[in-house]
Amino acid sequence: MSPRRVLALAASLTVAGLVAATTVTPASARSAAGAADPCPGSGAIPIGSLAAAVRSGCSLVGRMVTDGRISVMVPPAGMSVAGDGVGTHGEVRGLTVTNTGTTVRAVRDSAGAVSLGHTTSARRGSPPACKDRTSNLEGPKWKTGLRYHVNLKGLPGRLHQSKVVKQIRKANGNMRTGRNTCGKPRLRTPASVYLGRTKAKPDIGAGGPSCRKGNSQNVVGFGNLPGGLLGWTCYWFFGSRMAGSDMLIDNGPNLVTNLPKNCTNKWDFEGTVTHEWGHAYGLAHSGSGHDNLTMQAILSPCSTYARTLGLGDWIGMNKMYGHRH
């Protein structure tokens, strides 16, 4: 892990859906010399048991906290770790774990979505993209440029490597600059830098999925995500300062770089990755009923609409980074 990701600064995340918050017992009060280890076990901690685990006075750093689907590793004091993604159907909600040094908290994303699948009619029932002002922020943002690598191990053979890298880079630009058809100006998000290919892996477990301790690089990679997920992003931050981000893109049959003429149950690769860059830059889901926005948790198939930001997506990015005049 890089020095940026281990710097122990006080951090606190305030978002809807607080699940657990408890004061940590000082180490001096936990056990007397020679007493039996009061902290047995190293398995995942269910959210419902987190308060009791913290009251035990045991160090939870490195332990996974889980809601039964998503797992996030408890970071060092002063740091928060969050995971969020986008899917084709089902439940898509994020999870954030914050370690302030005296408190460990787990927070579920209250603006996620539960759906059996999106159709054209669902988008027709939502406000047009350039009329929908809905936006939600995760809290942190980048103070300096986001520098990232791409790991193509696990990329399906049906997808061309050069085109995939090109669309990952374009998707970053879509979100970073605020590409839109609503007449809004270019954003002033700090410049990103593509650093090329890498063998380093995103510190994301595909099963679940899970966010782990982080590594020294920001990496976009590929893996077999569960439950209809198209992409998943984990990010590490100190208070309002984003420190790192990894992204895992599903390598199943759903994503394509070119939508077929007679499209059925295929999702746009560039639009999906644009959504995931939104999480990496600090955007949360827009919530149900906003199906024409890029940051809707469930994307509609057979459309490239998510490549361009809706008004609410642009407003959210503008709140964090401002725009050019």
Side-chain angles (χ1 to χ4, degrees):
M1 186 180 293
S2 69
R4 293 188 306 171
R5 296 190 180 184
V6 296
L7 181 62
L9 299 176
S12 178
L13 181 66
T14 304
V15 295
L18 182 62
V19 178
T22 321
T23 302
V24 177
T25 305
S28 60
R30 293 175 198 165
S31 61
D37 181 7
C39 305
S42 58
I45 305 168
I47 280 182
S49 302
L50 180 58
V54 176
R55 283 196 302 270
S56 73
C58 302
S59 173
L60 303 183
V61 175
R63 297 280 298 275
M64 286 290 187
V65 176
T66 181
D67 67 355
R69 293 165 57 91
I70 306 162
S71 299
V72 174
M73 182 176 288
V74 177
M79 179 183 279
S80 297
V81 184
D84 220 332
V86 66
T88 63
H89 67 281
E91 182 180 26
V92 181
R93 294 185 188 275
L95 179 65
T96 302
V97 173
T98 298
N99 181 357
T100 68
T102 58
T103 299
V104 175
R105 295 196 294 263
V107 179
R108 292 198 71 192
D109 173 19
S110 63
V114 181
S115 173
L116 296 178
H118 273 202
T119 64
T120 302
S121 60
R123 291 186 59 208
R124 287 175 180 167
S126 294
C130 291
K131 298 292 185 181
D132 193 340
R133 302 179 62 87
T134 303
S135 66
N136 291 298
L137 305 182
E138 296 287 2
K141 66 178 183 179
W142 289 90
K143 309 289 185 173
T144 58
L146 195 167
R147 300 164 62 87
Y148 68 96
H149 291 80
V150 173
N151 183 334
L152 294 178
K153 184 176 182 180
L155 178 72
R158 59 187 175 77
L159 298 179
H160 296 289
Q161 294 185 359
S162 60
K163 187 154 194 177
V164 162
V165 172
K166 181 179 179 180
Q167 290 198 357
I168 290 172
R169 298 181 68 181
K170 284 186 65 178
N172 177 276
N174 294 342
M175 184 57 63
R176 179 177 53 81
T177 65
R179 178 188 176 195
N180 69 91
T181 59
C182 306
K184 292 298 181 181
R186 183 184 176 100
L187 296 168
R188 298 184 63 184
T189 313
S192 68
V193 180
Y194 169 59
L195 299 173
R197 302 265 298 273
T198 183
K199 293 183 179 180
K201 299 178 181 178
D203 213 355
I204 301 174
S210 62
C211 298
R212 300 184 292 217
K213 66 180 180 179
N215 51 47
S216 60
Q217 299 182 37
N218 304 310
V219 179
V220 179
F222 294 83
N224 185 18
L225 289 169
L229 286 173
L230 296 171
W232 190 261
T233 298
C234 295
Y235 47 98
W236 295 260
F237 57 100
F238 304 99
S240 64
R241 181 173 67 82
M242 196 75 81
S245 178
D246 284 345
M247 185 188 305
L248 196 66
I249 305 168
D250 185 53
N251 61 8
N254 290 322
L255 288 170
V256 293
T257 51
N258 289 304
L259 294 173
K261 184 176 181 180
N262 297 314
C263 182
T264 303
N265 292 328
K266 296 296 180 183
W267 279 261
D268 179 48
F269 180 90
E270 185 179 326
T272 296
V273 181
T274 300
H275 175 108
E276 289 307 299
W277 281 124
H279 289 309
Y281 278 108
L283 289 181
H285 288 143
S286 54
S288 297
H290 306 282
D291 299 77
N292 291 303
L293 296 180
T294 298
M295 293 311 297
Q296 168 62 31
I298 305 292
L299 294 185
S300 298
C302 302
S303 176
T304 60
Y305 74 101
R307 296 183 181 190
T308 54
L309 275 59
L311 181 57
D313 305 312
W314 186 92
I315 287 173
M317 288 289 288
N318 186 55
K319 286 178 181 177
M320 292 185 287
Y321 300 107
H323 63 272
R324 297 184 179 182
H325 297 281

